[in-house]
Amino acid sequence: MDLLSRRYAMQLVCVVDAIGPARYGDIEATFEEVSSSTLSTRLEELVDAGILSREQYDEIPPRVEYELTETGKELGQRLEPLLRWAEEIDETELATGQE
């Protein structure tokens, strides 16, 4: 829970789930206001936790891809309803002007 409560952790799981094997640049493009160091740190933490796998290819330029592990896929399925609910609440608050 500690890792998932960190900023952008849940969103990263969902982004990698949606994109499939995802390169860093593709992931970074989905986050507008995240610093590279924060994004890199969070990806590393998710890899260390066994939620993401990281594959580095010996190419020029270097290529790295992130993909959900089986644990990560299960987590992504469980996060989907929560994130949908949060989006609905945000939309309702915007429509009614409540916070």
Side-chain angles (χ1 to χ4, degrees):
M1 284 304 293
D2 180 51
L3 174 57
L4 293 178
S5 67
R6 294 180 189 167
R7 194 166 193 171
Y8 308 114
M10 287 189 274
Q11 294 94 323
L12 276 169
V13 171
C14 294
V15 165
V16 174
D17 189 23
I19 296 174
R23 295 180 72 171
Y24 181 87
D26 298 331
I27 296 168
E28 187 178 38
T30 64
F31 292 90
E32 295 177 10
E33 299 177 7
V34 181
S35 72
S36 292
S37 63
T38 299
L39 187 58
S40 295
T41 299
R42 208 61 70 234
L43 286 167
E44 185 178 320
E45 291 169 344
L46 291 167
V47 168
D48 290 345
I51 295 169
L52 294 178
S53 65
R54 180 183 186 271
E55 183 73 30
Q56 183 170 343
Y57 298 91
D58 292 328
E59 299 175 356
I60 304 292
R63 176 171 57 115
V64 175
E65 290 183 342
Y66 294 91
E67 191 169 11
L68 292 179
T69 61
E70 287 304 314
T71 301
K73 289 176 186 176
E74 184 178 347
L75 175 59
Q77 291 171 349
R78 294 175 185 269
L79 286 176
E80 263 183 55
L82 174 64
L83 294 175
R84 274 197 309 267
W85 173 80
E87 287 175 5
E88 290 171 8
I89 294 299
D90 283 347
E91 289 172 5
T92 302
E93 288 177 0
L94 286 174
T96 61
Q98 297 177 2
E99 291 187 34

